[in-house]
Every structure is written in structure tokens, then in C-alpha cells.
Amino acid sequence: MAFSGGLRLTDLNDYITPGQECIKPVEVKKTGAANGSHIKVDQTGDYYEVAKDGEEIKLEAARITLNDCLACSGCVTSAEAVLITMQSHHELLAVLEENRRLRSQGEGAQAKHVVVTVAPQSRASLALKHGMSPLSVAKRVTAALKAMGVDHVFDSAFTRDLMLVESAREFVERFKASEGQVGDGRSLPVLASWCPGWVCYAEKTHAEVLPWMSTTRSSQQTMGAVVKDYLAKRLSKTPDQIYHVTVMMCYDKKLEASRDDFYNDVFKTRDVDCVVTTGELDRMLLEAGIQLKSAAESGLDSLFKADATQERLYSSAGTSAGGGLEYVMSYAARTLFGIDISPESVAAAGREETTHPLIDVKAVRNQSDHREITLLDPTTRQPCLRFATVYGFRHLQNLVRKLKSGRSVYHYVEVAACPNACSNGGGQLQPDDPSPAAKKQWVADTEHIYVTSGAYELPENNPALQELIYDWFGPEGLDSQLAKQALHTQFHGIVVKANPLGVSW
């Protein structure tokens, strides 16, 4: 088995550039004894096997489909593939087994402190499959993981609040710096950067858009900083003494966790050591003999977005993309223009459940994955803020073209590599019926569970979050230098070297 540089991408109706090189290994079928044949490439780029007697046999082109792609961006390198194989539920099980061995030998001090963070999108997917509420899923998964030896189970919705607050602050700062003007040489638009499939694609193919990326970390990597810095100090441990696992809806999150920007050179550890997808978690529990539907429930840990009684989960208004657009628009409207409009109002208008006199919503080409959401001035009725959602590469392509040609008018764009955003992540559970109609309904049901899974709470009204901010960053809070280091990242354009094997002769 060897990697081929001449593979062509096919059947990718939601992919941007057919012909992209891919790392999919191709098994070469041997015909038996060597017959002295050789390979010829004709003028159209087709390959032929030419026998000694001159007979030519056209070789079948290797093909891959979306099901073969590891990341939504479709441009995963072999080095990244190795990193991904290092991240699976087997790695978590190996750490838990090693902890048991160390403790049985009286060396418990050497054991890793294991923390698992679960995404609310993953809970929604598990809730749909097992026919229970996301709250019940949260309590049962917590109990199951702790029974297996995990020390803490956290909720990425908790650090999503921190991400939302910081990303809104970043947007307002950049809006003021550019005086609301969009385009080259300016700090607008702000492109949401929490989707690693989008980041991976932009870094490898469109580095010119990177200056517009939001530098605020995703909720996964924000939790990584919380666990490996804030929690580690509270537990009097070094970062390498904690093993942090996240349960995510997307395989691309494995790539995000593997970025060098989230690696601690001093302690030789990553902020997130291992990423397990929703499907991998479900499979791990089944392999451990745990039936989630009949599993016991337990209380939730402190870093969970729940009320004091732990009988209600809190959520953020918006789609499974995370609520960034809704919260940033609400915060910016209040801060920049003195317009009081809640994230719930923005979300409801965006879903066309209600109308709002100050919000104009337009589905571009009647596509639900590409919506323009505009905030109007209450006096002049002129646009104050122009926001948009762009989900799926089909729409992302148009966005990139507009950005590069200077035709984009948006101040903020919420970008997701997957159509229908994160409810449709590649790591989510799938329906038993493989038909497109069943798949579409499954994603819609997952989205509905996610959107209705809890009461809405503004991030700034989360008392536990406020306590963490000032306990971690000191009296300066989010204005401190430590906060800027812990909550922000950077992006790197990659120079692609031409592979001669991928050239059509």
C-alpha cells in the first residue's frame, strides 16, 4: 500500500476544487508474475498498461468520495493523518488503564488527572439516538465516564460563553478601528474561526483572508487553556500531569487540537491531548458494556452551563454553529449604537420564526445555509450592521470570491465547513436509514434538540464564569495580558509545493 499523488477527487458536489491531491492510500492489485509491461500516459492524462506485445489496457482511475475525506476541507496531509490516528477513544482507554496499573502498584501520584469536556452538539446527537433529554445524557455520560476512571467531566458550553464574550469584544474593537468600513487594509470583516475545517482550508488555499479571521480561540481550545492553566494551578499540578479529552461533533477538531499554537513547549503537552467524536464516545461506551439508556445518572461538575439545582441546562441563542453571530450582533448593537436587542431575537428572526422591526433577514438564493442578517438603525432605517451565515463549502466559495474581489459588504460572517453547521458534523451519530431524506431529517431533528435543549442565558449573566475570569486573570479581568494570551490564537498561511505526480500530462 502506498500514497498516490495522482488521485482525483470526484462526487464532491459540496467541495470547491476538484483535482485536489489527497492522502487516501490506494491498494495496488498485483497481476502475478512480472510480464515486462510499462505504464503510458496519453495526451488526455489517461493511464495505460502496455504489455510486451504492444497490447494496451486502460487503467481505472482511482476515485474517492466525500465518505473517504477525513476533514471537510479535503486537504489533510499525511502528517496530519498520523496525528489524527493518535487521537481516538483507544488512547483515552489506554491512559485510564495505565492509571489503574499505577494505583494498583501504589504509584498513584504518577497517574494522570483525566478531564473530559463534552460539546452540547454531541449531547444533542446522543439524545436523538437514545431517546432522552440532553440533560439526562449529560448526567449519564458523566456517571459512565467517572465509573471508568475519569476525574472531571466538563461542558464546552461553559467556555463557549467565555469565547462569545471575548469574540464580541474583539469585533467591537475592530469595528471601531476600521470605522465600520470593510475591505483590504481594514480590520473588517471579522470571519469566525472556530471551525477548523474552514481554518484548514483558508490556511492552505486562501492565505489572503487570514487577516480577517477572528483571533479568539474556539470553545474547545478555550477549555484547553482553562484546564491546562487555570484548573492545573488550582489542583497544584503541572499541565503535563493532566490528560484532557474533548468529545466533539467533528473530526476536524482533532486537527485543531494538534496545531502547534496549542502546544506547551515547556511541559511538552497540548491543551487538548485527545479528541473523541460523538460516534467514538458512543462506541466506547458500548464496548465497555454501558447502555446509555439504562445507565445511572450523577451530578454535574462545576464547569457546566447549568442552573444551581442541576435540573436545567443553559444554552446560547442561535444555531448549532454556537451562537456567535447572534451574541456578537446583540453585543455590538448595544455597545456601538445603543440598540437593545437580545440574541434570542436575532436567532428567532434568523430562523424566520418571528419578525423584528430592526432586523432584516434574507436567504441568499433561497438557501438556508447562506443568510444575510442586517441590523437597521431605528431612526433612518439604514443598515448599521451587516452579518451573514455561510455554512458549507458551496457557499464558502462565493464568500471567498467576494472577499478577494472586494465585493463583500459584511461586517461579520459566521463560517462553518459543514452544511447545516455543527449538527451535521462528520463525527455525529448517523441514522440507521442511509437514504438522503432520512439523513436530512436526522440532522434537522438533531438541530431541533440542540436549539431547544435549555433555557437561554447571556454569557455575562453566568456567575460561575465571572468568578473564573477574575480568579484566573486578576482584577483586570479580560483586559489583562494573561487573558489576551490565553484566549487568542494566530493563523499561518501555508505555501503549497506542487507535486509533479498530481499534474495531468
Side-chain angles (χ1 to χ4, degrees):
M1 219 178 248
F3 290 116
S4 170
L7 286 171
R8 306 267 181 94
L9 296 177
T10 65
D11 188 28
L12 295 180
N13 56 14
D14 196 43
Y15 191 75
I16 295 179
T17 52
Q20 188 80 304
E21 296 171 12
C22 178
I23 65 163
K24 184 189 175 186
V26 177
E27 183 176 1
V28 180
K29 296 181 180 179
K30 297 183 178 180
T31 58
N35 56 13
S37 63
H38 65 277
I39 302 299
K40 181 183 81 172
V41 185
D42 68 7
Q43 292 181 343
T44 64
D46 291 325
Y47 290 74
Y48 292 84
E49 182 177 2
V50 183
K52 276 187 176 181
D53 60 4
E55 180 185 8
E56 296 184 0
I57 302 175
K58 186 176 180 179
L59 299 177
E60 182 181 353
R63 294 178 181 273
I64 64 172
T65 66
L66 278 176
N67 291 331
D68 299 313
C69 289
L70 188 55
C72 295
S73 60
C75 52
V76 182
T77 67
S78 56
E80 289 166 335
V82 172
L83 288 172
I84 288 173
T85 58
M86 293 169 60
Q87 296 197 43
S88 72
H89 65 284
H90 298 294
E91 295 300 313
L92 170 58
L93 293 174
V95 170
L96 294 175
E97 178 59 32
E98 176 64 10
N99 279 354
R100 284 190 288 269
R101 185 191 68 79
L102 289 170
R103 286 166 181 147
S104 68
Q105 296 178 356
E107 301 176 1
Q110 302 296 321
K112 297 280 189 179
H113 193 87
V114 181
V115 177
V116 175
T117 300
V118 183
Q121 294 89 340
S122 294
R123 287 200 300 270
S125 186
L126 289 164
L128 178 59
K129 177 183 176 180
H130 296 285
M132 61 181 69
S133 71
L135 176 62
S136 185
V137 168
K139 292 183 175 182
R140 292 168 196 248
V141 167
T142 297
L145 290 174
K146 288 191 173 183
M148 296 174 71
V150 172
D151 296 289
H152 293 293
V153 180
F154 294 150
D155 178 12
S156 70
F158 185 90
T159 46
R160 182 177 61 195
D161 275 1
L162 185 52
M163 179 201 78
L164 291 176
V165 170
E166 186 62 13
S167 61
R169 284 161 47 90
E170 179 191 2
F171 174 80
V172 167
E173 181 180 325
R174 288 169 60 168
F175 189 96
K176 289 178 178 178
S178 66
E179 298 180 338
Q181 300 300 307
V182 175
D184 288 338
R186 301 184 182 276
S187 55
L188 293 179
V190 173
L191 307 177
S193 62
W194 44 256
C195 173
W198 151 237
V199 171
C200 180
Y201 171 76
E203 287 186 324
K204 293 180 179 180
T205 60
H206 296 290
E208 57 269 37
V209 307
L210 296 180
W212 291 316
M213 292 282 206
S214 168
T215 62
T216 303
R217 288 189 181 207
S218 70
S219 57
Q220 171 178 275
Q221 297 308 137
T222 300
M223 182 62 87
V226 169
V227 168
K228 290 298 183 85
D229 186 20
Y230 175 72
L231 181 66
K233 291 174 181 176
R234 294 198 66 177
L235 296 175
S236 300
K237 294 182 179 294
T238 57
D240 58 317
Q241 292 176 319
I242 298 179
Y243 189 76
H244 183 206
V245 180
T246 61
V247 178
M248 291 285 147
M249 54 293 192
C250 177
Y251 281 97
D252 291 356
K253 286 294 183 179
K254 297 173 186 275
L255 295 177
E256 180 181 54
S258 300
R259 291 174 66 89
D260 291 338
D261 303 282
F262 306 128
Y263 182 77
N264 186 322
D265 286 316
V266 176
F267 292 98
K268 308 300 179 185
T269 185
R270 298 188 183 279
D271 291 346
V272 178
D273 298 286
C274 179
V275 178
V276 175
T277 65
T278 313
E280 288 172 330
L281 173 66
D282 193 57
R283 186 161 61 253
M284 182 183 77
L285 295 178
L286 286 174
E287 290 172 355
I290 299 172
Q291 297 290 336
L292 202 59
K293 203 160 189 176
S294 58
E297 294 186 352
S298 74
L300 304 175
D301 281 330
S302 57
L303 298 189
F304 231 94
K305 194 171 169 64
D307 67 1
T309 66
Q310 297 194 346
E311 291 304 320
R312 181 172 63 169
L313 293 176
Y314 283 123
S315 183
S316 298
T319 70
S320 59
L325 180 147
E326 292 79 7
Y327 181 76
V328 172
M329 176 171 276
S330 172
Y331 182 90
R334 193 167 63 247
T335 305
L336 296 170
F337 304 104
I339 300 174
D340 189 9
I341 186 167
S342 69
E344 294 92 331
S345 297
V346 180
R351 292 193 295 267
E352 297 184 342
E353 294 176 351
T354 63
T355 59
H356 192 285
L358 298 182
I359 300 176
D360 181 57
V361 179
K362 176 186 175 184
V364 180
R365 298 186 182 89
N366 295 317
Q367 296 290 323
S368 61
D369 280 338
H370 188 183
R371 291 181 179 272
E372 295 176 344
I373 303 176
T374 304
L375 178 69
L376 304 176
D377 184 282
T379 303
T380 66
R381 309 297 296 172
Q382 293 300 307
C384 295
L385 296 171
R386 296 179 185 270
F387 283 30
T389 61
V390 176
Y391 303 154
F393 276 112
R394 183 180 296 134
H395 302 299
L396 201 157
Q397 179 183 24
N398 293 328
L399 170 65
V400 171
R401 285 174 177 169
K402 287 182 178 180
L403 289 170
K404 293 171 73 172
S405 64
R407 293 183 293 115
S408 175
V409 297
Y410 306 132
H411 295 112
Y412 180 95
V413 186
E414 185 170 74
V415 186
C418 295
N420 304 111
C422 299
S423 288
N424 191 31
Q428 295 283 65
L429 296 166
Q430 303 298 316
D432 295 329
D433 182 351
S435 68
K439 168 68 174 176
K440 183 177 181 180
Q441 186 59 49
W442 183 271
V443 172
D445 291 343
T446 305
E447 181 75 12
H448 176 73
I449 291 173
Y450 173 85
V451 170
T452 60
S453 63
Y456 296 137
E457 179 191 54
L458 287 172
E460 57 265 34
N461 292 339
N462 184 342
L465 179 64
Q466 294 302 316
E467 179 183 347
L468 179 144
I469 288 173
Y470 289 102
D471 193 24
W472 188 10
F473 301 130
E476 290 184 271
L478 294 177
D479 293 322
S480 70
Q481 191 60 37
L482 176 58
K484 291 179 173 59
Q485 293 174 354
L487 303 180
H488 289 264
T489 185
Q490 55 189 333
F491 306 98
H492 318 277
I494 297 173
V495 178
V496 179
K497 297 180 180 180
N499 186 339
L501 295 177
V503 176
S504 294
W505 300 89

